[in-house]
Amino acid sequence: MKKYNLILLLFGCISLTMISCSAQKKKEQANANNSQNQSTQPYIIFYLSDDQDVYDYGCYGNEKVKTPDVDRIAREGILFENAFTGQAICAPSRSQLFTGKYPLKNGCFANHSKVKPDIVSITKQLRKLGYEVVLAGKSHVSPDAVFNWDKEWHAVERPEGPREYIPIDSIQSYFKTAKKPFCMFITSYYPHSEYFNVNGASANDIKFYPFNESKKNNAAFIKDKAGYYRSIEEDNKQLDQVLTAADNYLGDNTLIIYSADHGVSGKFTVKDIGLKVPFVARWPKVIKPGSKSNQLIHYTDVLPTFMEIAGGKATADMDGKSFLPILKGQDIEINKYVYGVRTNQNILNSEVFPSRMIRDSRYKYIRNFNSIEVVEKNLTNKPNVDFFIRRGATAFKNEPFEELYDLKNDPFEQNNLINKPELKEIKERLIKDLFSWMTFQGDFLNNQPGTMPLIKGKGKAGFRLDEDTPRRKIPDSIKNTLNEEDYLIIKHW
């Protein structure tokens, strides 16, 4: 009997060993198939949220909002402390990711506008290097001839939220059946308003900063912010599904980046609350877990980085530079400066108040070209045109012509140092380099008074300044008085 039991035990051990070996062989075969399909080029996934402040993540120091999946990517990879977009509004921000060029150069420097038709975008650049390029979710870029995705899936309606959802079924299916290297942009509709309706929230549920602490007793603000936090949590649920699918179907040679297109609290501005973005990345066996970088990187750097990863290099006309060395663990300077653009025209409020910004690792200089301080120098002697120039300056009457901030000591830009004599040399250096960059970008503004164009697309394209919108009323005496020659016409819009 003992001999019989021993035989059974031995047979069981052999069976378990065979099962284990079989499972291991299947795993090795799957990895081998994945490696064979993928070659040495990694899969690239870029998850982009919509309208979310860099300050509203656990990994960026906000304990009041739950972002476990973004925090996980940071924990398993690298967190960038100084990542920026060049414009704090949807279309111009995204255009940089897909072109490697700032908004002024690529042509999309107002919301709802198009890039130039001769732009060679990420779809063509990575396709030449053997990649499929996929968009899953919100687009907000045009024209289609420039952004000709290999595959494109849009929103999915679901009853539980105020916004559309990413097409997770299509994403999962694509991961499962991927036959070649791909770059996929998963572009969420969250947490962009409208937000979830949250009842019973108090100031204790919200983290306040210098730019909004005056609203601690504002019940409407608190309710709105609570709904925004809830929408952030909903977006993290979507990100969790993406990470799970990537872990299940893709190998370790997969780069996953998470970011948000711009800050909602600084939307349309050139302050850091609008231009600084969250940026975390995970790439097993390449990025050291728990890493951080304080080097300046920019959305224009994303395409050059992806091109280098794919085995190519950025073209000479791109503004961005590859930050692949940082992902591989080197602490090197990528950009001495990052720049910012503000264009309020072509939106519902649509005021004439353009701004430009230059920023290094410590100091930021801003010029508001139609400030109330200089508005009289911008007038044209055309009463109907001058009405809109004055209106724009008055709408932002508290914003000075020049601003200078020491971001090391004043990260929320509360103390304008423009008149400090000890910073004169720094100010002059930044001004000189800003205008040099503007010239290189083909900017329609310059350093001379009297250059304050009203911008519009050709024909009826874009928002006319002399028409009412739901947010802006125009006096009857001024309505429909502007002619085509009163505008700077952007022909490709």
Side-chain angles (χ1 to χ4, degrees):
M1 187 70 176
K2 288 181 179 179
K3 185 176 180 180
Y4 176 73
N5 288 338
L6 184 61
I7 291 171
L8 285 177
L9 180 62
L10 181 61
F11 179 77
C13 290
I14 292 171
S15 298
L16 286 172
T17 301
M18 290 176 66
I19 292 170
S20 177
C21 288
S22 176
Q24 181 63 27
K25 283 183 178 180
K26 286 182 179 179
K27 183 177 180 180
E28 290 174 355
Q29 185 61 45
N31 287 335
N33 290 340
N34 180 65
S35 179
Q36 183 179 3
N37 289 336
Q38 191 181 357
S39 184
T40 58
Q41 294 174 304
Y43 299 126
I44 300 172
I45 302 167
F46 194 108
Y47 190 106
L48 186 69
S49 292
D50 196 348
D51 280 27
Q52 185 172 345
D53 291 346
V54 67
Y55 313 108
D56 294 330
Y57 297 85
C59 57
Y60 282 97
N62 188 341
E63 74 284 356
K64 301 286 189 178
V65 63
K66 296 181 177 64
T67 56
D69 296 284
V70 178
D71 301 348
R72 174 191 166 191
I73 297 174
R75 187 172 61 251
E76 296 177 356
I78 186 170
L79 180 146
F80 286 88
E81 297 174 309
N82 283 305
F84 292 86
T85 178
Q87 199 159 350
I89 188 61
C90 293
S93 182
R94 292 157 196 260
S95 73
Q96 300 162 90
L97 286 174
F98 301 148
T99 68
K101 300 178 181 182
Y102 275 94
L104 290 165
K105 187 187 284 187
N106 73 45
C108 178
F109 57 87
N111 210 25
H112 311 290
S113 63
K114 301 176 182 179
V115 302
K116 297 172 184 176
D118 60 347
I119 291 286
V120 181
S121 79
I122 192 169
T123 57
K124 295 180 178 68
Q125 298 287 7
L126 289 188
R127 193 177 295 130
K128 289 187 294 187
L129 297 170
Y131 273 70
E132 281 195 331
V133 190
V134 182
L135 181 73
K138 180 178 179 179
S139 172
H140 217 308
V141 290
S142 60
D144 292 342
V146 172
F147 303 106
N148 57 332
W149 310 98
D150 291 305
K151 296 184 185 298
E152 185 174 3
W153 312 298
H154 293 295
V156 175
E157 297 278 352
R158 292 219 304 265
E160 59 264 40
R163 301 285 294 168
E164 302 94 332
Y165 287 76
I166 62 171
I168 189 63
D169 291 344
S170 297
I171 294 167
Q172 291 169 334
S173 177
Y174 186 86
F175 287 178
K176 189 174 182 179
T177 59
K179 292 289 192 293
K180 61 184 295 187
F182 67 81
C183 174
M184 181 183 292
F185 284 89
I186 302 173
T187 47
S188 176
Y189 296 82
Y190 281 92
H192 193 293
S193 61
E194 299 286 330
Y195 302 132
F196 279 88
N197 184 28
V198 175
N199 295 314
S202 70
N204 292 329
D205 300 311
I206 308 301
K207 182 157 187 174
F208 290 89
Y209 296 91
F211 57 84
N212 62 18
E213 62 186 358
S214 63
K215 298 180 180 179
K216 283 185 177 179
N217 297 318
N218 186 320
F221 175 83
I222 291 170
K223 181 176 176 61
D224 186 69
K225 206 69 170 178
Y228 161 72
Y229 279 13
R230 172 67 185 85
S231 292
I232 290 173
E233 293 174 15
E234 193 73 4
D235 190 53
N236 257 247
K237 293 178 183 178
Q238 296 185 111
L239 178 60
D240 179 67
Q241 291 178 301
V242 171
L243 292 176
T244 299
D247 290 344
N248 287 342
Y249 302 125
L250 306 176
D252 282 345
N253 195 18
T254 302
L255 169 62
I256 299 177
I257 295 175
Y258 170 92
S259 188
D261 61 350
H262 57 80
V264 65
S265 297
K267 197 166 184 172
F268 300 113
T269 76
V270 287
K271 297 294 182 68
D272 274 13
I273 56 174
L275 297 181
K276 182 180 275 194
V277 295
F279 205 97
V280 295
R282 183 189 80 174
W283 191 359
K285 301 181 181 178
V286 176
I287 297 175
K288 181 181 177 182
S291 302
K292 287 188 177 182
S293 174
N294 63 4
Q295 295 291 346
L296 295 173
I297 68 166
H298 195 270
Y299 269 11
T300 58
D301 300 326
V302 169
L303 178 52
T305 302
F306 289 179
M307 291 175 72
E308 184 177 5
I309 288 171
K313 61 179 182 179
T315 58
D317 62 337
M318 289 182 183
D319 294 319
K321 304 170 187 175
S322 172
F323 54 81
L324 179 58
I326 294 180
L327 298 181
K328 290 183 174 180
Q330 299 180 51
D331 183 24
I332 63 172
E333 182 180 88
I334 304 300
N335 298 292
K336 180 179 180 180
Y337 298 120
V338 292
Y339 304 90
V341 177
R342 174 182 185 174
T343 304
N344 292 307
Q345 295 182 65
N346 219 54
I347 59 173
L348 292 177
N349 291 329
S350 210
E351 302 293 357
V352 182
F353 197 82
S355 306
R356 304 291 183 261
M357 177 280 288
I358 183 172
R359 183 199 198 280
D360 63 18
S361 59
R362 180 167 179 176
Y363 293 99
K364 171 188 282 191
Y365 174 82
I366 297 171
R367 177 162 292 191
N368 299 306
F369 285 83
N370 197 31
S371 163
I372 199 76
E373 298 173 34
V374 298
V375 66
E376 294 301 319
K377 297 178 181 180
N378 291 333
L379 301 180
T380 67
N381 293 321
K382 294 181 179 180
N384 57 334
V385 172
D386 291 344
F387 170 86
F388 292 100
I389 293 175
R390 283 198 179 95
R391 180 186 173 107
T394 304
F396 300 97
K397 61 181 182 295
N398 295 323
E399 296 193 36
F401 179 53
E402 295 181 296
E403 301 173 65
L404 180 67
Y405 298 101
D406 177 354
L407 299 166
K408 179 181 178 181
N409 297 308
D410 180 23
F412 294 104
E413 299 165 70
Q414 302 293 296
N415 185 21
N416 185 7
L417 305 176
I418 196 65
N419 294 319
K420 294 288 184 181
E422 63 269 27
L423 297 178
K424 180 181 178 182
E425 185 176 334
I426 291 170
K427 171 184 136 178
E428 290 177 349
R429 168 176 60 85
L430 293 175
I431 291 172
K432 178 182 176 182
D433 290 345
L434 173 63
F435 280 99
S436 175
W437 175 80
M438 288 170 62
T439 298
F440 183 72
Q441 291 286 307
D443 200 336
F444 54 83
L445 296 175
N446 59 42
N447 201 17
Q448 301 301 318
T451 305
M452 193 48 51
L454 316 183
I455 59 173
K456 190 179 80 68
K458 63 182 179 180
K460 294 184 178 180
F463 286 76
R464 291 183 58 90
L465 286 171
D466 55 355
E467 294 179 345
D468 285 344
T469 75
R471 298 184 187 176
R472 186 195 68 217
K473 299 300 179 185
I474 302 299
D476 289 340
S477 60
I478 298 294
K479 282 182 182 177
N480 301 311
T481 61
L482 293 175
N483 301 311
E484 290 287 284
E485 59 266 24
D486 295 323
Y487 289 99
L488 172 63
I489 302 296
I490 311 300
K491 293 181 180 179
H492 66 274
W493 286 0

